[in-house]
Amino acid sequence: MSPRYFTRRRFLKDVLSGGGLALGTPLALPGLLTACGGSGSPAAPPGNGVDGRFPLRLPDVTGVEALQLTGAPGIAEIGGGLEAPAWLLNGVLPSPRLEVRKGERMRVTLRNELPQDLILHWHGLAPPEAMDGHPRFAVGTGETYEYDFTVEDRAGTYWYHSHTHMHTAEQTYRGIAGLLLVRDDEEDALGLPSGAREIPLILQDRRVDAAGVPFYEPFGPAMMAGYMGPVPFGNGVRNPYLEVDTALYRFRILNGSNARIFRLGRSDSRPFVLIGNDGGLLDAPVELSTIDMAPAERVDILVDLRELRPGDRVMLRSLSFQMQGGMGFMAGQNLQGDPMDLLELRVRSEVADASVIPAALPPIIEPDPAEAAREREFRFTSQMMNHFINGRPFDMDRIDETVPFDETEVWSFVNESNFPHPVHLHATHFRVLSRTGGRGEVFAWERGRKDTVLLNPGETVRVALRFTAHRGLFLLHCHNLEHEDMGMMANILVE
Ligand SMILES: [Cu+2]
């Protein structure tokens, strides 16, 4: 049996036998054997089979000067006391919330106690080749990998996750993913909401059994559309809520789902102020009532709750939308584009908050397409059970494109399939120039420095880029993680 088709029984066997239960793991069997404890909320049931809402987990900040991250099977509390088997870094779900300042050295020892190979990618950063998490660096069970590099990237909402070829989807879904916030002086000077008013939020969808425990059992349709489930998770907690004050908040949001696209909106229809995305702050804030987020995309938004009163509730939700090729896990249920209630904000107390939404943001240096030395085209196709770039499945040892260092290029991503593909490039950000076909426009949330862009069926997206950080072998791939694992990835040699 291919590891990709792990059954739940096989997974539990691995989890429970896996020599490496995380430190601090309770010896009790996982909570799938216990009833769902989810009642503690007077709110209406969210309508996805999970009864009640549970407090959002806000992880402590972990530094990166001398960090050991141990990946191992363990047990995670996912809301209401329900314990679920998971694959964890340092025993926590989501993975530790890392913070680093621009210019700081990052020294991380990855220790693999999972029953599969493991390697981590720092998504959005541009470190040297050997630090980027290319799958050829994956280490076996019981082995370690040393990361040591200086973070040269500007302040922003980055993240990290498994990048083990053929296992990225499974490992990320089971818990090997966390936020990595970079801070710098330029951002500090803006005085944006901080402390308890800055909310890191990893949004994910999962499929759960009758007891509420997530499982990963992809089969045919899920391998084509990607693995989706009906239950929203925030920072590893199902159906989360957050108690807030009548204040201005900054939300740093990652779509950490395998395949789910969210259309973020507020239930009271008030707008967000978008101030940043994949590569840090935009050059100007923009007011938006909805924002689309494909897997791996990040947004940095200001959420103004000052017009609310104690007792009010506002839902951060994913609004419904139509998507070609958006088939769900099973026919007729849980389609791509179905609405989901992601995070309920419950106003606790009234406070005075005179925070000012900045009228301007620092300028961004972006590649100029007029200087492009050449153009390249990448065609994304899906047929039968395969997903290709330019007609070929990923080959670890084949160089697909050789790109000169420090030269501007214009790349076209062409979707010739019936599925949406969030296209992700390592080692540099890019500027989205145009979208033709499909939705036919570049959206406000796609301005600035992007490392992932959504390519719907029939669309061609042109981007300008320039590799200025490091030479070496990097990756271009679809961030629908099932597509990536099934071959929609290419080796890019920067030299
Ligand atoms: Cu894809």
Side-chain angles (χ1 to χ4, degrees):
M1 178 185 292
S2 155
R4 197 189 301 148
Y5 289 89
F6 258 19
T7 63
R8 175 125 184 276
R9 176 172 301 172
R10 169 79 189 280
F11 166 50
L12 290 174
K13 182 165 161 278
D14 285 344
V15 165
L16 296 173
S17 67
L21 282 187
L23 287 176
T25 297
L27 290 175
L29 288 174
L32 67 132
L33 303 176
T34 66
C36 165
S39 58
S41 163
N48 55 27
V50 177
D51 180 25
R53 292 205 156 264
F54 308 100
L56 183 73
R57 187 147 50 219
L58 293 172
D60 292 335
V61 172
T62 302
V64 295
E65 307 85 51
L67 176 64
Q68 174 156 318
L69 288 175
T70 301
I75 304 295
E77 198 275 331
I78 59 168
L82 181 61
E83 295 184 327
W87 286 357
L88 305 170
L89 292 174
N90 294 3
V92 294
L93 185 73
S95 299
R97 171 190 169 184
L98 306 184
E99 285 205 15
V100 59
R101 289 196 72 82
K102 181 181 179 180
E104 199 180 329
R105 186 174 170 190
M106 192 157 157
R107 284 196 299 142
V108 177
T109 300
L110 171 67
R111 178 162 193 83
N112 181 15
E113 299 295 344
L114 291 175
Q116 299 172 345
D117 289 358
L118 177 63
I119 195 71
L120 296 178
H121 167 57
W122 316 102
H123 186 125
L125 301 190
E129 173 185 29
M131 304 290 113
D132 192 52
H134 191 284
R136 72 187 189 281
F137 297 126
V139 295
T141 306
E143 296 179 346
T144 59
Y145 193 88
E146 300 290 339
Y147 296 92
D148 187 350
F149 62 97
T150 300
V151 174
E152 308 283 5
D153 306 84
R154 68 197 290 256
T157 310
Y158 304 97
W159 66 301
Y160 65 107
H161 57 81
S162 155
H163 219 300
T164 316
H165 189 42
M166 316 287 279
H167 298 296
T168 295
E170 178 183 12
Q171 293 179 355
T172 304
Y173 183 91
R174 287 182 178 168
I176 309 291
L179 277 179
L180 196 177
L181 300 185
V182 177
R183 302 194 185 274
D184 65 15
D185 296 343
E186 183 180 69
E187 183 192 279
D188 288 352
L190 294 170
L192 296 167
S194 61
R197 306 260 169 88
E198 182 184 23
I199 309 296
L201 180 60
I202 301 175
L203 295 174
Q204 294 168 311
D205 64 324
R206 288 190 173 93
R207 195 160 177 83
V208 303
D209 65 14
V213 173
F215 61 90
Y216 186 71
E217 274 180 21
F219 63 85
M223 299 310 284
M224 287 308 285
Y227 197 76
M228 288 178 277
V231 180
F233 280 68
N235 296 345
V237 173
R238 59 205 174 124
N239 290 326
Y241 73 86
L242 178 67
E243 292 194 327
V244 294
D245 297 329
T246 56
L248 182 70
Y249 282 79
R250 179 184 187 189
F251 277 77
R252 320 286 300 266
I253 305 179
L254 159 70
N255 181 349
S257 304
N258 282 24
R260 171 77 60 187
I261 298 163
F262 295 118
R263 173 162 292 175
L264 293 186
R266 280 175 62 157
S267 59
D268 60 5
S269 301
R270 288 192 172 97
F272 308 115
V273 178
L274 179 75
I275 58 172
N277 54 12
D278 298 356
L281 296 171
L282 303 177
D283 58 3
V286 51
E287 207 169 87
L288 294 168
S289 54
T290 65
I291 300 173
D292 288 359
M293 293 188 78
E297 289 190 298
R298 288 87 71 203
V299 294
D300 194 339
I301 55 176
L302 299 178
V303 179
D304 202 336
L305 303 177
R306 289 177 288 197
E307 291 177 49
L308 302 178
R309 293 294 165 263
D312 286 351
R313 293 180 178 192
V314 174
M315 188 65 75
L316 178 65
R317 58 175 41 145
S318 185
L319 308 171
S320 72
F321 57 90
Q322 293 294 315
M323 176 63 70
Q324 185 185 349
M327 72 172 83
F329 187 86
M330 293 167 72
Q333 66 177 45
N334 195 224
L335 302 173
Q336 184 76 277
D338 280 359
M340 297 177 85
D341 284 349
L342 302 173
L343 173 68
E344 188 175 62
L345 303 176
R346 298 179 177 177
V347 181
R348 174 182 49 199
S349 48
E350 189 156 4
V351 298
D353 178 9
S355 301
V356 175
I357 295 173
L361 295 167
I364 306 176
I365 300 163
E366 293 188 288
D368 180 359
E371 295 175 3
R374 66 192 62 75
E375 300 211 5
R376 297 172 201 265
E377 184 179 86
F378 298 87
R379 291 174 296 105
F380 293 75
T381 55
S382 301
Q383 327 170 324
M384 305 300 288
M385 296 300 284
N386 295 301
H387 302 274
F388 298 142
I389 297 178
N390 286 343
R392 301 193 289 197
F394 181 63
D395 178 340
M396 195 91 79
D397 301 316
R398 183 189 65 228
I399 294 168
D400 294 289
E401 296 286 333
T402 301
V403 181
F405 183 72
D406 205 21
E407 283 188 15
T408 300
E409 299 199 349
V410 169
W411 292 9
S412 294
F413 303 134
V414 185
N415 188 345
E416 297 179 348
S417 79
N418 290 322
F419 299 95
H421 301 295
V423 176
H424 171 51
L425 178 63
H426 291 213
T428 188
H429 285 84
F430 51 75
R431 172 182 169 193
V432 181
L433 301 174
S434 66
R435 176 183 281 107
T436 50
R439 293 167 293 164
E441 62 179 300
V442 177
F443 297 94
W445 56 81
E446 299 174 313
R447 296 166 46 214
R449 296 161 48 86
K450 292 287 290 172
D451 57 51
T452 306
V453 65
L454 179 60
L455 198 57
N456 274 357
E459 293 183 352
T460 295
V461 170
R462 293 172 77 244
V463 304
L465 56 84
R466 187 178 182 105
F467 290 96
T468 56
H470 298 282
R471 292 177 167 83
L473 189 64
F474 299 100
L475 293 166
L476 171 74
H477 64 87
C478 179
H479 223 287
N480 177 312
L481 297 182
E482 281 72 28
H483 294 179
E484 173 186 341
D485 276 348
M486 289 201 298
M488 197 170 258
M489 184 152 69
N491 272 321
I492 309 291
L493 179 64
V494 178
E495 69 170 18

